[in-house]
Amino acid sequence: MATNEERSRWIVHGERLVYDNRWIRLGLVDVAIPDGERFEHHAVHLDRAAIAVVVDEQNRVLMMWRHRFLFDRWGWELPGGLVDAGEEAITTAAREVEEETGYRPKEIEPLITYQPMAGMVDSEHSLFLVRGADLVGSPTGEIEADLIEWVPMAEIPAMIARGDIWTSGTLIGLFAARDRLSATNG
């Protein structure tokens, strides 16, 4: 007898690449759904991302005030970026913190990994909790943020309610870090 998983599983017969560049790959996947219907479904493949929640001894989180052109919207975000080929996500998270903020992480640990849009987008995001960071210089590379500030964790709920924090990686990272810190400090 088939399990519920087996009865609802889609069968992939192959994928045809439609568009490919450094940032995005778009494919058409030949799939069959449980009732036997077969069709092509779009699939968007993005490189993996690593994001860091940097928390200091005063229970503040290191955040960046950024503009996102696609939405013409500003918001507070956590440092992070795309994982380079051959690089571990934890290495990317530490590198991005230093490049984007000028702070070098002291202790870093895995927090959570998730897919932000699992229906048709493959874009694995790995989040890390950083406990403490030392200022080692100014941010390097392209300008990522207008402001870099240590924000008290107690202010985060009001910032979310105002819409000042709105991106998925930042929201998930802050909630996961809050839960981890509560469990270890509690």
Side-chain angles (χ1 to χ4, degrees), residues 22-71:
R22 157 76 177 95
W23 303 102
I24 187 171
R25 290 170 307 285
L26 176 63
L28 283 173
V29 183
D30 178 7
V31 295
I33 58 177
D35 71 3
E37 182 183 357
R38 193 165 166 174
F39 57 93
E40 287 187 317
H41 195 292
H42 285 90
V44 178
H45 303 280
L46 305 173
D47 288 341
R48 294 180 308 142
I51 301 167
V53 184
V54 183
V55 179
D56 69 4
E57 300 78 20
Q58 298 169 41
N59 205 30
R60 299 178 305 173
V61 63
L62 186 61
M63 300 196 73
M64 307 180 318
W65 181 248
R66 297 188 66 176
H67 179 258
R68 292 297 182 175
F69 76 92
L70 192 58
F71 308 97

Side-chain angles (χ1 to χ4, degrees), residues 49-53 78-81 89 92-93 97 114 125-129 168-170 173:
I51 301 167
V53 184
L78 299 169
T92 301
V97 169
Y114 72 98
H125 285 55
S126 296
L127 287 100
F128 297 88
L129 177 60
S168 65
T170 298

Side-chain angles (χ1 to χ4, degrees), residues 100-145:
E100 293 182 350
T101 69
Y103 283 86
R104 181 170 296 147
K106 289 182 181 178
E107 298 175 31
I108 187 167
E109 64 191 67
L111 191 55
I112 191 171
T113 298
Y114 72 98
Q115 287 278 355
M117 293 181 59
M120 62 191 309
V121 178
D122 175 14
S123 177
E124 182 179 279
H125 285 55
S126 296
L127 287 100
F128 297 88
L129 177 60
V130 174
R131 297 174 195 255
D134 294 319
L135 183 62
V136 294
S138 297
T140 58
E142 63 186 66
I143 296 174
E144 299 271 350

Side-chain angles (χ1 to χ4, degrees), residues 82-99:
L82 299 178
V83 178
D84 290 339
E87 186 176 48
E88 295 294 323
I90 196 167
T91 304
T92 301
R95 175 177 51 78
E96 290 289 338
V97 169
E98 190 168 335
E99 287 177 3

